[in-house]
Amino acid sequence: MASIRKDIPIDAPAAAVWDAVRDVGQIHTRFVPGFVTDTKLEDGARIVTFANGLVVRELILDLDEDRRRLAYAVSGSEMMSHHSASFEVVPDGPERCRLLWIADFLPHEAAEPVGGMMTEGAAIMQAALGRKGGR
């Protein structure tokens, strides 16, 4: 199984970043605007449309308020037989935090396209959630 981990420093308080991450139906406006163009909620899941045209159904596995952790899994993907991921917001002082994004997936050959999307998404998260967007 391939695994990619991103440790993203964010110039905003952990509570403000968590508020955007936990808003699972508004990731296209609050969390990764431009990278994701639309989000629709279904029972226990969200349909995510990416700017590159990819549309996926993400099952919301866990939304842990105490740990500030969101876990999800992509279902019905033609590109991957397995994809689960999580975000965790970790305080790094009163005005900064780190956003840990971990994705595990099969097949291994998906590592390059998934890694590229995660790198692009991480940069957008950092900009959107920083001082200007995170409050």
Side-chain angles (χ1 to χ4, degrees):
M1 184 171 303
S3 185
I4 297 175
R5 176 186 167 104
K6 298 286 183 185
D7 189 337
I8 309 159
I10 307 285
D11 190 22
V17 172
W18 173 242
D19 188 57
V21 172
R22 70 175 307 286
D23 192 358
V24 297
Q26 292 299 315
I27 63 174
H28 61 294
T29 60
R30 300 189 64 199
F31 189 37
V32 281
F35 182 68
V36 170
T37 59
D38 192 35
T39 310
K40 300 248 189 290
L41 292 179
E42 291 184 348
D43 188 30
R46 62 186 176 194
I47 307 301
V48 179
T49 303
F50 292 88
N52 65 6
L54 179 66
V55 178
V56 298
R57 183 171 191 268
E58 295 178 346
L59 302 171
I60 306 302
L61 302 175
D62 188 39
L63 187 66
D64 186 328
E65 296 286 349
D66 293 332
R67 291 178 54 206
R68 293 184 176 136
R69 181 178 180 270
L70 167 68
Y72 63 96
V74 175
S75 67
S77 171
E78 293 180 18
M79 187 170 98
M80 290 179 273
S81 60
H82 172 82
H83 183 282
S84 61
S86 65
F87 290 102
E88 188 169 350
V89 180
V90 179
D92 192 18
E95 296 297 318
R96 294 187 48 83
C97 66
R98 292 182 359 263
L99 181 60
L100 305 178
W101 185 12
I102 302 169
D104 300 307
F105 52 89
L106 288 170
H108 296 288
E109 295 76 26
E112 188 173 324
V114 170
M117 286 184 73
M118 287 178 70
T119 296
E120 182 182 355
I124 292 169
M125 290 169 199
Q126 194 172 39
L129 298 171
R131 287 240 184 262
K132 181 179 150 198
R135 290 190 192 211

